[in-house]
Amino acid sequence: MAYRNRHTLVANKLLVAMSGLTRWTKRDEHYRYEQHHYNIPACFTSIKWTKSRIRHALTLLSYADDQGKIEFMEDTELATSAHTSVRSLHNNLKMFESHGLLRLVRHFPGVLSIELNDYLENYRDLFVDGASVVSKTGYTSIWHDLLAELLSLDNVNALRLALRTLVQVEKDVHVQSNEQAILTYDEIKGFLPKYCGHKLAIQKMMSRLKFLQVSLVEDSRHFLNVVKQNVTLKKRVRDITRPVLVEMTLDSARDSKLIREEERSETQIAWFELRKRVGEFFDFDVLKVSRESLYSMSDTFGASAFREVLSDLKQAFLHHREDLVHSSEHRLFFSEPILYLHQQLKTRIEKSAIA
């Protein structure tokens, strides 16, 4: 049983591509095409994103490591996680590979490894610029409970709508610090198929997204208040033909950003407590464990698992004290502490998954 990331990072351009590019391109006497605006690669736009393909893409990202690799995975586990058949998975993996999204290796019947092509650029929207790493249109972090809800949505258009709402929440709330995210009726109608563009149909699909608190902005005073509080929205609404806004707030219990911040804080406190407890007979500064490394492990495995690993390590220190450095079981911690912690966390998560 392989572990899944607690926070799955997905480039906004992939979420937009999977939701469907908008037909509503006319903007204030000019045109804006989402493929160019989001810098979406051709390998994403050349695919017809069906429900199973969206599910499989999200599932692959939830299992991939920070290099976009999934090693020695059972196809039945991937298919079960995505709520699809194994046959559907194999068909889509073959299609993904032919479009350049990934490289696939079959080790044994039912066992495979996958590497997502150009992982940082395509799936995280991260580009190396000299000595720094930059992002053009950003990525969205999805909490694993929320990802499970997305994968269980039966209606493909509700799923597409859900992906768009997550992008908008990321832009309006997490980047611009607005209290709520806003989508206009024209924007929603633009990327959904024509047959489900009626307001009542959109409202029905919105009601299926239990992770959102949704309300329509139809009252004139409410409309003015919303527009005045959102700088970018003021520009967006100049071109709308149907003055209906959808106001959205992500449930805090499913908000990856809030959960990550809380878990990172818990992880940092746990590390400092370990340093304080055993610092009298070991100098932790020589390990050179950065705060970013601690955060990365917390994001991947969770603060509770990290605390459990540190608790076991603390007991080993207190029992063996200075002699712990000679222990074959713990020797790696003193030479490669991040690798040691990563291995311990991975083993703990996999054991708990089997149990």
Side-chain angles (χ1 to χ4, degrees):
M1 180 76 175
Y3 71 89
R4 297 179 70 176
N5 296 315
R6 291 172 66 82
H7 301 270
T8 298
L9 308 180
V10 189
N12 290 334
K13 59 186 176 184
L14 176 56
L15 293 174
V16 168
M18 291 192 295
S19 71
L21 301 184
T22 185
R23 300 179 305 277
W24 185 52
T25 56
K26 187 73 163 61
R27 296 287 199 284
D28 193 22
E29 298 185 356
H30 73 280
Y31 290 87
R32 194 188 79 168
Y33 298 98
E34 288 185 328
Q35 181 173 359
H36 304 305
H37 178 74
Y38 284 97
N39 193 36
I40 304 175
C43 60
F44 291 162
T45 58
S46 62
I47 292 174
K48 180 180 179 182
W49 288 99
T50 62
K51 181 171 63 177
S52 69
R53 290 169 185 171
I54 296 173
R55 285 177 169 180
H56 288 145
L58 292 175
T59 299
L60 293 178
L61 285 167
S62 74
Y63 279 101
D65 63 15
D66 58 2
Q67 299 298 313
K69 296 180 180 179
I70 306 170
E71 296 185 331
F72 294 96
M73 170 69 69
E74 287 187 294
D75 55 8
T76 53
E77 182 175 346
L78 287 174
T80 300
S81 298
H83 300 280
T84 68
S85 67
V86 173
R87 182 178 180 180
S88 173
L89 172 69
H90 281 290
N91 288 339
N92 284 336
L93 288 178
K94 183 178 179 180
M95 188 274 300
F96 286 163
E97 188 173 35
S98 69
H99 283 257
L101 271 69
L102 54 81
R103 287 188 291 275
L104 178 65
V105 178
R106 292 179 173 85
H107 303 287
F108 189 81
V111 180
L112 44 81
S113 289
I114 297 168
E115 181 176 357
L116 301 174
N117 291 338
D118 300 319
Y119 174 69
L120 291 180
E121 295 87 346
N122 285 346
Y123 298 93
R124 292 279 300 279
D125 196 61
L126 297 177
F127 300 84
V128 177
D129 183 13
S132 60
V133 178
V134 298
S135 178
K136 296 181 179 178
T137 54
Y139 60 82
T140 293
S141 179
I142 305 177
W143 174 234
H144 73 93
D145 283 351
L146 175 53
L147 182 67
E149 290 185 51
L150 295 176
L151 296 175
S152 65
L153 287 172
D154 287 329
N155 184 288
V156 64
N157 291 315
L159 176 56
R160 295 171 65 205
L161 182 58
L163 300 184
R164 280 286 179 150
T165 61
L166 292 179
V167 173
Q168 204 62 46
V169 167
E170 177 65 23
K171 291 165 63 177
D172 286 354
V173 178
H174 294 155
V175 176
Q176 298 176 18
S177 300
N178 294 311
E179 291 185 4
Q180 295 176 313
I182 300 291
L183 276 173
T184 72
Y185 179 68
D186 281 346
E187 288 169 333
I188 295 174
K189 194 172 183 294
F191 65 82
L192 288 177
K194 292 181 180 179
Y195 65 83
C196 59
H198 192 276
K199 187 170 71 173
L200 291 178
I202 292 173
Q203 286 180 269
K204 185 176 180 180
M205 281 188 285
M206 277 287 190
S207 68
R208 297 178 182 178
L209 309 183
K210 304 301 182 183
F211 56 89
L212 290 175
Q213 297 174 1
V214 182
S215 62
L216 285 179
V217 180
E218 296 180 288
D219 174 76
S220 59
R221 185 173 294 277
H222 191 184
F223 175 86
L224 288 173
N225 288 337
V226 169
V227 172
K228 289 177 180 178
Q229 293 172 12
N230 191 316
V231 177
T232 60
L233 179 62
K234 193 178 296 184
K235 299 176 182 178
R236 285 160 54 198
V237 300
R238 292 184 187 278
D239 303 311
I240 63 174
T241 59
R242 302 165 187 82
V244 178
L245 309 183
V246 178
E247 202 171 36
M248 306 167 297
T249 306
L250 186 61
D251 181 3
S252 59
R254 297 172 177 85
D255 191 325
S256 177
K257 183 177 181 181
L258 297 179
I259 296 169
R260 285 172 72 190
E261 289 176 350
E262 182 177 343
E263 288 191 331
R264 286 178 170 189
S265 177
E266 293 175 9
T267 294
Q268 193 168 7
I269 290 172
W271 179 255
F272 283 140
E273 287 178 347
L274 176 65
R275 289 185 56 167
K276 182 179 179 181
R277 191 73 178 85
V278 303
E280 61 188 62
F281 48 86
F282 179 75
D283 182 10
F284 265 66
D285 290 335
V286 301
L287 297 178
K288 300 186 184 306
V289 177
S290 68
R291 183 170 58 182
E292 289 71 23
S293 297
L294 296 178
Y295 288 167
S296 177
M297 287 184 281
S298 175
D299 293 349
T300 302
F301 301 101
S304 59
F306 191 84
R307 286 198 305 270
E308 291 172 6
V309 168
L310 291 194
S311 177
D312 292 345
L313 189 59
K314 180 173 69 175
Q315 293 304 316
F317 262 113
L318 295 178
H319 181 70
H320 297 285
R321 301 179 73 85
E322 293 89 346
D323 294 332
L324 188 66
V325 69
H326 304 297
S327 165
S328 60
E329 181 181 353
H330 301 92
R331 187 179 302 145
L332 182 63
F333 175 73
F334 299 94
S335 59
E336 297 286 347
I338 296 172
L339 178 59
Y340 170 85
L341 292 171
H342 191 277
Q343 290 180 351
Q344 293 297 312
L345 285 162
K346 186 175 181 180
T347 300
R348 182 173 294 273
I349 292 295
E350 289 177 346
K351 284 182 178 178
S352 64
I354 294 173

